[in-house]
Amino acid sequence: AAAYDAERECATCTTPSWGDGAEGADVNVEIGLNSQEWTRSGAKYSFRPDVSPASIEPASGPLAGGSELSIKGEGLAEGLDVHVRFTHTETSESRETSGKVEAAADELSVKCTAPAFDADTAFDSSVQLSLNGMQYGDRAVTFRYETSGKKK
């Protein structure tokens, strides 16, 4: 079943289980009001494995943001656009940025820039990845925001 999201002006739904081997499968998505008449738009949906971070370099940077980061992880594919969320571990305040999966030395990693936080003291942030900016995995790595301008 789908629901209309008035704020985003779109229908939202939960994908059904597609069984083993669904990763990488493309399916057509159509909408019907009565389960008999359906749209014929041919909209595509792709089943992709979850993306999750395993490590982040550098592991810290300034509160002002701007650190160029490399995040290694699972479920990455070269050229993939990935959403990256940084969450203050004490206040739960979060910032999101976008990243791109790149290959270097036979390893894939998400390249992104750390966003700025308005804080007076250093703190740890949990960093999570998402393919759609709505569902983030449970796994996270830690990026430390420092009060000094030095990147570590």
Side-chain angles (χ1 to χ4, degrees):
Y4 182 70
D5 183 332
E7 183 178 316
R8 293 190 307 200
E9 298 182 344
C10 67
T12 61
C13 65
T14 301
T15 58
S17 174
W18 206 257
D20 292 336
E23 292 176 359
D26 293 328
V27 296
N28 290 329
V29 177
E30 303 295 345
I31 297 173
L33 297 177
N34 60 10
S35 296
Q36 294 176 7
E37 299 171 281
W38 300 91
T39 60
R40 295 182 185 170
S41 65
K44 300 284 185 204
Y45 177 84
S46 299
F47 285 91
R48 298 287 177 246
D50 289 336
V51 291
S52 61
S55 65
I56 188 168
E57 290 183 19
S60 66
L63 288 168
S67 297
E68 296 298 320
L69 305 176
S70 178
I71 305 169
K72 293 179 182 168
E74 297 175 12
L76 303 178
E78 188 171 2
L80 194 64
D81 292 318
V82 178
H83 299 264
V84 185
R85 180 170 63 191
F86 294 75
T87 304
H88 191 302
T89 56
E90 294 173 17
T91 67
S92 298
E93 180 182 356
S94 66
R95 301 280 188 278
E96 294 184 19
T97 189
S98 59
K100 187 88 163 175
V101 178
E102 298 178 6
D106 294 330
E107 288 189 309
L108 296 173
S109 62
V110 177
K111 303 295 184 185
C112 70
T113 303
F117 271 88
D118 186 22
D120 296 324
T121 59
F123 66 90
D124 288 336
S125 68
S126 64
V127 180
Q128 298 167 288
L129 303 177
S130 171
L131 291 176
N132 62 12
M134 294 186 289
Q135 288 95 16
Y136 285 84
D138 294 332
R139 290 186 47 194
V141 293
T142 301
F143 180 78
R144 180 148 183 92
Y145 278 92
E146 302 283 355
T147 53
S148 69
K150 297 180 183 177
K151 298 176 189 173
K152 296 183 182 179

